[in-house]
Amino acid sequence: MWIIGVIIVLVAIIIMLILFNIKIHKEVNNYKNINQKINGLNVLQDFMTTVGDSMSVEEKIKRINEILIQEYDIKYSTIVEFNGTEYVIRASNVEEKHWDNLRSLHNEDIFRDSITTATPKYITVDQENERLPYQKSEFGRAKAAMFFPLYIENVYIGYWIIESGIPHAFDDIDTTILEVVKDNILSVFRIVNYQNIVESLTRDDYYSALKSGEYLFNEGRKIIDKYTTSTICMMKITNIEKINKEFNRETGNQAIMDMCDTIKDNLASEYIFVRYMGPKFVIAFSGAEVDGVTRFVLDMKNQVENLEIQMVEDEKKDKNKTEKRFAKIKLNIALTTYYKGTAIEKILKKQEEYLDNAPDTENDVNNI
């Protein structure tokens, strides 16, 4: 009888151990899920930080790919964009000699259905001596891959592929996490595509030989954001229409050229001077406080307003005229403090609204 008792006790102990192991397994899984969620939030935060940083579109996408590789311990990650005419590698840590193959995956039968149906595709080999179907000359590099077609509002824009050198490497990976990562990549593409459009709009103004206002939102901002605070100065030629009317448009254009030459000659190299729009111009005094630039702006204003712009004569119409006429520029100016990382476009909009709504007779330097 005592043997039966011992057996019952042992069975009870075994059952308790099994239940305990099940409980521990659940707690470990819960911990993993919580840890994955925390990691996902951290990655998302890194994404958003990258998007808001003052780097180029190309640099942002490459940085995002680096984050994916580091945070999710991915061997290879490649982001390919279809720009409407061709496939372009936007970011990859694969050797460049394999890029022709990676930018041609849309031609592979194994991925065509994935692109058509907008569903991920997982492929792997079973043996080390096997190769993935899309691999040509890179026999030993990847043994497992996950392919994600990328769509923005039902418009196909390319794909993201992750690879591993280990067979069945992604068998147990949480695909929901990867879907979240894919969605984050798409969110970044939406934002950087807008930035890409803005960058492409930047141009040189013909008359002033200055960059257009869009420059401030890209290359210019990189310079400004090296400092915690800067001063944004927007100036408006309040009488440009009067000059055009009383003299002629050529004289108005000459007034713009003379004003810009005068300002550029006295402006430090780290300051950014652009033609914002029409008669409005902007100087970004990088790293300077409003109080520190006010005197300089006043002196600059006086210099510009003391210029005598000789009327540009029409040689055919006015060849017999001997009297010379001169135009004078009038400026109204708004100064505002810009803080690194904040919305510079809102500051510019506020300054523009102030100058556009000010009386035509206002001729001052205003801190707003």
Side-chain angles (χ1 to χ4, degrees), residues 188-203:
V188 169
F189 259 107
R190 287 188 186 96
I191 296 169
V192 298
N193 281 345
Y194 168 76
Q195 180 181 339
N196 207 21
I197 292 170
V198 174
E199 285 181 356
S200 67
L201 291 174
T202 302
R203 62 196 184 282

Side-chain angles (χ1 to χ4, degrees), residues 93-109:
N93 66 326
V94 178
E95 289 183 87
E96 195 166 343
K97 63 182 180 180
H98 302 307
W99 284 14
D100 283 342
N101 187 31
L102 287 171
R103 69 166 64 94
S104 303
L105 297 183
H106 58 286
N107 293 324
E108 299 291 334
D109 291 336

Side-chain angles (χ1 to χ4, degrees), residues 138-156:
E138 41 183 339
F139 183 77
R141 186 178 65 82
K143 301 298 181 182
M146 289 199 74
F147 178 91
F148 296 88
L150 302 176
Y151 281 81
I152 293 180
E153 297 177 355
N154 296 322
V155 176
Y156 172 65

Side-chain angles (χ1 to χ4, degrees), residues 224-257:
I224 301 168
D225 278 353
K226 291 179 182 179
Y227 306 91
T228 304
T229 60
S230 299
T231 298
I232 305 299
C233 167
M234 182 179 287
M235 64 187 76
K236 179 181 180 181
I237 304 176
T238 59
N239 65 332
I240 191 68
E241 292 182 4
K242 185 177 179 181
I243 293 174
N244 290 340
K245 185 177 180 180
E246 292 186 1
F247 294 83
N248 51 45
R249 185 169 292 276
E250 288 72 23
T251 303
N253 292 335
Q254 188 62 49
I256 289 172
M257 288 188 280

